[in-house]
Amino acid sequence: MTALDEVFARCRQERRAALIGYLPAGYPDLEGSVRAVQTLARHGADIVEVGVPYTDPLMDGPVVERAASTALAAGFRLQHVFEVVAAVREAGAVPVVMTYWNPVLRYGVDRFATDLAAAGGAGLITPDLIPDEAQEWRAAAQRHDLAPIFLVAPSSTDDRLQMTTAACRGFVYVASTMGVTGVRASVGDAALELVGRTRGVTDLPLCVGLGVSTGEQAGEVAGFADGVIVGSALVRTLADDPSGGQLAWLTEELAEGVRRA
Amino acid sequence: MSSTVAGADRFGDFGGRYVPEALVAALEELDAARVAASADPDFRAELDRLQREYTGRPSPLTEVPRFAAHAGGPRVFLKREDLNHTGSHKINNVLGQALLAVRMGKRRVIAETGAGQHGVATATAAALMGLECTVYMGRVDTERQALNVARMRLLGAEVVSVPTGSATLKDAINEAMRDWVTNVGHTHYLLGTVTGPHPFPTMVRDFHAVIGEEARKQVDEAVGGLPDAVCACVGGGSNAMGIFHAFRDEPTVALWGFEAGGEGVASGRHAARFSGGEPGVLHGAATYVLQDADGQTLETHSVSAGLDYPSVGPEHAFLHDTGRARYAPVTDEEAMEAFALLCRTEGIIPAIESAHALAGALKIGPELGPGTTILVNLSGRGDKDVDTAARWFGLVDESGEAQVDAETDGADEVAAR
């Protein structure tokens, strides 16, 4: 059983959804990001999604985009992501990495998989890599026992839902709304509908992201999904209070939310 | 299609679809629509009519002997895409895609623009066909191409200035992609060059292929044969693919793409992807990308906003690697010299982008020598660049006030006495 499988098995036992928190590596700087992901891990995140800052993050809204720019300006280098991954593991949560494809391609797909596995990473979420283009990565993931995690979207056809979920391990990232990352007032019916359609084609855990920012929303999503992904709200909170105090508080609120369903 | 295309969506190892899943359905829809349209005589007829009656096609071929006198022997012919309505080749692709958008029932188009030519062409087609239009443009570019911003607004388009990243063309594309992924239900992304995810590189090339088809006939009428070399500037590479395509299967015709060498490749301030770039992925396509050791996109520099882009169409990457086309950098300085030369020898003010192709012709001319023919794609006119050129040549001061030369100063003094 992989570390991700264990998380979802435990959550099922506890009759709750998993909390997955996203923060970019190297934001506000390397040391600060190590502290921040450990705060998430220690205050209730089951899985921490460590983002790779990238110059051209075309799936991200302004909050994450600004954080990526800040991290790059503060000297983020790709190999730093493995330090942050190791820090998540050390603090007791399961780390996965989220990255645009070009940094991995440039680093070397197999080399990246080797280093990610060595740091204790469990998988890789690829917002601009669809399974159709991922032969090399899927083979490397298999070799290194990493989970390839692809996204499904409201616009995915049933055929593509089937093909995409068949290529996933660990969990499926359900992008609940059409659009970029960011905080939204309501998560909307699209998420519920998409989770329903995706359930029809896979037994993998389904984790819903894009737009969740409060414990209440997390509770709502936990009512129909296996995991709740929170990103921009955490990044914004860390930006407002780099000490991490508010980050701990929000993580606890969200962790309570996923137990409320 | 051509035998050199490896898969429907690939050019050798290049191309593909490196996009969020949310966009796949829209790309499939677009691909189906373009394939159906290209087989539909009504669509062809409507596009032909617009090209003739609205754009003013065929664009002329102009021999430029006074310019050619500086090119070391060959005869030089310009394909006059600068004379198209809206002032550049961009309108060819825009009319095709706008017709497709209408066929797909989309009510809104969005576009990215660097120099503003593609944005102007898109705003124009949107006005013509009653579509809503939003154009994304890097803040640096809105400043250096203010005239084109005003043109787009006059045409009814919303122009969004993009301050993120390097605030140039690549960032405008990021922002357009973000808009598209959010509004894909009713919006068509009218991508302006031969890059991006499949089917854009193929579709945009096909809508521009008319440039090469016309030019091939016109050169044949003028010299009784094929040109020896075809020169084009390459930013994303749409005008180059447009003129190259008709000659690709003619091995005697050398294909030359000229990239923005900026302040020189050694300076690091350039946009010469084939001199300093490595294969990678940007904006949905596998292609050559100017990137650092971590795969982060590098900042580019060019005096020309339209060539100031860190990646290049995937078919160019393929033509480069197979050796079918050659690519060389042209510096800001060389481009501006060629710009001035065409102005003064032929009375034609070229776009600074196109001036890179002219400078390239001056470079390769001596190798080809007398008795040969060079075809240059004059992809756009230079009205939008008058301010940049005037500053470059010191014709205006920092605030844009006209500088008069010493002789005129003297005359003024005499007049004042």
Side-chain angles (χ1 to χ4, degrees):
Chain A
M1 201 182 235
T2 69
L4 285 171
D5 295 340
E6 278 168 25
V7 168
F8 290 103
R10 190 174 69 235
C11 289
R12 261 194 304 275
Q13 235 167 30
E14 295 174 9
R15 295 172 176 279
R16 65 170 178 99
L19 175 63
I20 302 165
Y22 165 94
L23 284 174
Y27 176 78
D29 53 25
L30 182 57
E31 201 182 310
S33 79
V34 164
R35 252 196 331 266
V37 294
Q38 294 194 327
T39 300
L40 293 191
R42 289 179 180 135
H43 290 266
D46 301 289
I47 298 169
V48 176
E49 212 182 295
V50 180
V52 171
Y54 177 53
T55 42
D56 295 277
L58 52 80
M59 264 294 277
D60 285 307
V63 172
V64 174
E65 205 243 314
R66 267 198 300 272
S69 300
T70 303
L72 289 170
F76 172 81
R77 295 297 313 267
L78 190 55
Q79 70 266 20
H80 294 159
V81 79
F82 305 116
E83 290 176 45
V84 181
V85 162
V88 172
R89 185 63 105 183
E90 186 196 294
V94 176
V96 295
V97 165
M98 182 164 199
T99 181
Y100 291 92
W101 194 236
N102 198 52
V104 177
L105 206 54
R106 184 77 170 127
Y107 193 81
V109 175
D110 194 72
R111 183 178 162 221
F112 192 90
T114 305
D115 291 355
L116 179 57
L124 192 63
I125 302 168
T126 51
D128 66 346
L129 187 74
I130 53 180
D132 320 51
E133 304 286 5
Q135 293 84 341
E136 190 186 0
W137 155 235
R138 288 164 68 184
Q142 182 122 33
R143 274 194 301 280
H144 297 280
D145 209 13
L146 292 167
I149 299 156
F150 297 102
L151 281 70
V152 295
S155 60
S156 302
T157 59
D158 289 344
D159 281 352
R160 287 198 63 80
L161 286 182
Q162 184 125 39
M163 185 277 288
T164 303
T165 55
C168 289
R169 298 284 176 272
F171 66 91
V172 179
Y173 192 121
V174 179
S176 60
T177 55
M178 296 297 283
V180 297
T181 57
V183 169
R184 288 176 177 80
S186 89
V187 178
D189 297 336
L192 181 60
E193 193 197 324
L194 181 56
V195 166
R197 288 175 58 215
T198 312
R199 287 260 188 249
V201 297
T202 184
D203 294 329
L204 282 173
L206 306 182
C207 300
V208 171
L210 302 195
V212 178
S213 62
T214 65
E216 193 178 336
Q217 286 177 331
E220 200 185 310
V221 172
F224 58 85
D226 305 301
V228 181
I229 304 172
V230 183
S232 300
L234 296 171
V235 178
R236 199 176 55 183
T237 302
L238 180 59
D240 291 346
D241 174 19
S243 78
Q246 295 215 27
L247 189 66
W249 184 85
L250 176 60
T251 309
E252 283 170 14
E253 180 193 321
L254 293 164
E256 197 184 307
V258 300
R259 285 165 172 83
R260 211 178 289 163
Chain B
M1 204 82 9
S2 168
S3 60
T4 47
V5 178
D9 61 343
R10 289 257 170 190
F11 310 93
D13 290 338
F14 300 106
R17 260 184 199 164
Y18 297 83
V19 291
E21 169 65 20
L23 291 179
V24 173
L27 293 169
E28 296 281 352
E29 179 192 17
L30 177 60
D31 200 21
R34 93 177 160 99
V35 170
S38 66
D40 178 352
D42 290 347
F43 180 85
R44 290 293 337 165
E46 178 61 2
L47 185 55
D48 286 350
R49 185 189 69 77
L50 285 172
Q51 286 179 341
R52 215 171 41 244
E53 297 174 7
Y54 193 70
T55 306
R57 300 207 75 89
S59 65
L61 185 77
T62 304
E63 181 164 18
V64 285
R66 280 169 46 76
F67 177 82
H70 301 262
R75 292 175 74 179
V76 177
F77 292 84
L78 306 183
K79 180 59 175 164
R80 299 294 305 279
E81 293 297 298
D82 62 316
L83 295 178
N84 292 339
H85 179 45
T86 72
S88 82
H89 72 291
K90 292 290 186 188
I91 191 77
N92 303 322
N93 162 55
V94 163
L95 288 175
Q97 282 198 52
L99 283 177
L100 280 182
V102 171
R103 275 171 79 104
M104 291 188 291
K106 308 282 183 181
R107 62 173 161 84
R108 175 172 179 261
V109 290
I110 56 172
E112 82 295 344
T113 198
Q117 295 302 85
H118 175 59
V120 167
T122 303
T124 299
L128 177 68
M129 298 183 198
L131 298 163
E132 295 166 45
C133 179
T134 301
V135 178
Y136 292 94
M137 190 168 184
R139 199 190 51 216
V140 169
D141 294 335
T142 57
E143 283 162 11
R144 62 180 158 176
Q145 301 288 351
L147 187 65
N148 270 345
V149 175
R151 289 169 80 193
M152 289 183 267
R153 291 193 168 136
L154 287 172
L155 291 160
E158 177 196 14
V159 180
V160 179
S161 172
V162 178
T164 53
S166 58
T168 59
L169 180 56
K170 86 172 172 72
D171 309 284
I173 294 178
N174 293 341
E175 210 53 38
M177 287 273 190
R178 292 180 185 122
D179 180 319
W180 199 31
V181 79
T182 308
N183 300 302
V184 66
H186 64 270
T187 295
H188 173 62
Y189 180 13
L190 213 161
L191 186 60
T193 190
V194 289
T195 190
H198 175 72
F200 283 107
T202 304
M203 176 178 68
V204 175
R205 176 200 69 199
D206 289 349
F207 283 137
H208 281 305
V210 65
I211 303 170
E213 286 159 14
E214 287 176 6
R216 184 172 171 153
K217 278 194 209 113
Q218 290 164 323
V219 170
D220 188 54
E221 279 161 23
V223 306
L226 291 164
D228 297 282
V230 178
C231 296
C233 63
V234 182
S238 65
N239 89 82
M241 280 319 308
I243 200 161
F244 285 177
H245 198 56
F247 299 101
R248 214 172 57 166
D249 296 330
E250 298 293 348
T252 63
V253 181
L255 304 178
W256 279 97
F258 294 100
E259 301 184 280
E263 294 172 9
V265 171
S267 73
R269 286 176 51 77
H270 63 87
R273 289 71 42 103
F274 293 121
S275 297
E278 298 281 344
V281 164
L282 185 65
H283 294 145
T287 183
Y288 276 73
V289 180
L290 284 169
Q291 53 182 311
D292 70 12
D294 281 355
Q296 306 287 355
T297 311
L298 290 172
E299 301 236 339
T300 53
H301 165 80
S302 171
V303 66
S304 140
L307 304 184
D308 203 348
Y309 182 60
S311 111
V312 61
E315 194 168 5
H316 284 294
F318 176 75
L319 294 177
H320 172 268
D321 277 16
T322 56
R324 177 60 192 97
R326 280 185 281 178
Y327 296 83
V330 163
T331 63
D332 290 351
E333 187 104 28
E334 291 166 332
M336 294 312 290
E337 274 172 33
F339 174 98
L341 187 64
L342 191 73
C343 290
R344 288 175 183 217
T345 56
E346 300 287 349
I348 298 170
I349 301 179
I352 296 177
E353 289 78 15
S354 317
H356 287 68
L358 293 165
L362 296 175
K363 280 188 175 189
I364 66 166
E367 284 172 42
L368 291 172
T372 60
T373 304
I374 300 179
L375 170 64
V376 178
N377 197 8
L378 198 74
S379 56
R381 65 178 180 229
D383 306 39
K384 68 183 176 60
D385 296 317
V386 167
D387 185 54
T388 303
R391 285 171 200 273
W392 181 276
F393 295 114
L395 304 179
V396 292
D397 62 23
E398 281 302 306
S399 62
E401 292 294 314
Q403 292 288 292
V404 284
D405 57 33
E407 205 177 284
T408 321
D409 270 337
D412 285 350
E413 265 179 46
V414 173
R417 257 204 307 258

